[in-house]
Amino acid sequence: MEWIRRNILIVFWIILFIHCLFHVLHLPFVGISKLLLIPSLLVYLFTRKKEEVLVGINFFYLVAILFAFIGDMLLVIINDLLFLPGMVSYIVNLFFLCIFFLQLQKLHLNQLLKPIFVLLILGLIGYFVYGFLGDQLKQFQLPVLIYMVFVAITAALAMNTIQHPQLHKTGWYFFIGIIVFILSNTILVLNRFHFLYHNLYVAVMLTYGAAQYLLARGVALVSKDVQS
């Protein structure tokens, strides 16, 4: 158990790189390697010291990461049949992340400037990306728009956690994690509907893995920051 606790994050990165390698080389079991990523992060969270686990793993975060795992399963085979349910799963993931971030730090009128700034910047970027793709999104225009709204709100609430007096450092894990998640999704959508480059998938997965890693690390650090 001690070895697992100390090395599980190394195992996570090894799994991620193996998954990317399997994809580039067209090897079998590439889908299975992807589905090991979220469970390895859960092992990391649940094998920490007992006093940290009780404080640091929030119910809403667990529900969020569960839906991220469901989204991973649905997108192992990306086609028009499974792409929309996968997107819905990630929207639910973002919804519960929003609740988690709000539990950590409520919104206050005198602290709205930074979250609103994040919303405006991401809204502007989303406007250009959405306009660039246009009719190429076809029947996914509305789902993609809804997804963009949710991910921007999630990023704004992640930024808001930085303003917690005890979570300033940990909040950056959440905010950077969500920004990297947005980068991953942007590459995915642009490639899915426009570029269609096979090996851009590696960039999608590396950024996605980094995002999930940063979020899990933030969750692991919450208890230490709150107790310090």
Side-chain angles (χ1 to χ4, degrees):
M1 180 65 72
E2 182 66 19
W3 185 91
I4 294 175
R5 186 173 69 84
R6 290 186 176 183
N7 297 281
I8 188 60
L9 289 180
I10 298 175
V11 172
F12 167 81
W13 286 107
I14 291 174
I15 293 171
L16 179 58
F17 286 119
I18 287 175
H19 173 69
C20 294
L21 181 63
F22 277 24
H23 174 79
V24 171
L25 298 179
H26 305 285
L27 297 177
F29 308 113
V30 63
I32 294 176
S33 58
K34 179 178 181 178
L35 296 180
L36 293 175
L37 294 172
I38 295 296
S40 64
L41 291 177
L42 288 173
V43 170
Y44 160 66
L45 291 173
F46 280 106
T47 55
R48 292 175 302 129
K49 295 179 180 179
K50 186 175 180 180
E51 63 271 15
E52 294 178 356
V53 171
L54 294 176
V55 178
I57 303 182
N58 179 279
F59 168 77
F60 292 108
Y61 171 77
L62 289 177
V63 176
I65 201 171
L66 170 63
F67 276 94
F69 179 70
I70 293 172
D72 287 351
M73 286 194 295
L74 292 172
L75 296 186
V76 163
I77 302 175
I78 299 180
N79 54 41
D80 288 344
L81 180 63
L82 296 179
F83 188 78
L84 183 57
M87 184 179 295
V88 171
S89 295
Y90 289 121
I91 289 175
V92 177
N93 162 255
L94 293 170
F95 174 77
F96 281 101
L97 280 178
C98 285
I99 298 177
F100 172 54
F101 293 149
L102 278 173
Q103 279 194 331
L104 292 177
Q105 174 68 359
K106 299 291 189 296
L107 287 170
H108 301 287
L109 287 176
N110 62 339
Q111 294 181 324
L112 288 179
L113 184 60
K114 290 180 180 179
I116 290 175
F117 179 75
V118 169
L119 278 177
L120 290 175
I121 293 297
L122 292 178
L124 185 63
I125 295 172
Y127 174 80
F128 284 112
V129 172
Y130 192 80
F132 173 76
L133 292 173
D135 293 337
Q136 296 176 78
L137 293 171
K138 298 178 181 179
Q139 72 269 31
F140 297 108
Q141 284 185 329
L142 181 59
V144 168
L145 180 60
I146 294 172
Y147 190 90
M148 285 180 169
V149 171
F150 266 93
V151 79
I153 293 173
T154 308
L157 294 176
M159 167 58 74
N160 187 55
T161 63
I162 295 172
Q163 302 183 105
H164 188 290
Q166 294 174 288
L167 297 177
H168 178 74
K169 186 181 296 185
T170 302
W172 280 108
Y173 276 92
F174 295 137
F175 179 67
I176 296 173
I178 294 298
I179 294 300
V180 176
F181 183 76
I182 292 173
L183 176 61
S184 176
N185 280 257
T186 303
I187 299 171
L188 172 63
V189 170
L190 288 173
N191 192 49
R192 172 70 170 76
F193 296 104
H194 183 75
F195 295 116
L196 304 176
Y197 296 150
H198 177 71
N199 284 334
L200 270 183
Y201 177 82
V202 173
V204 172
M205 284 308 303
L206 289 176
T207 48
Y208 174 73
Q212 294 294 353
Y213 166 84
L214 288 167
L215 290 172
R217 287 284 290 142
V219 171
L221 292 172
V222 165
S223 57
K224 293 181 180 179
D225 287 348
V226 170
Q227 291 172 356
S228 62

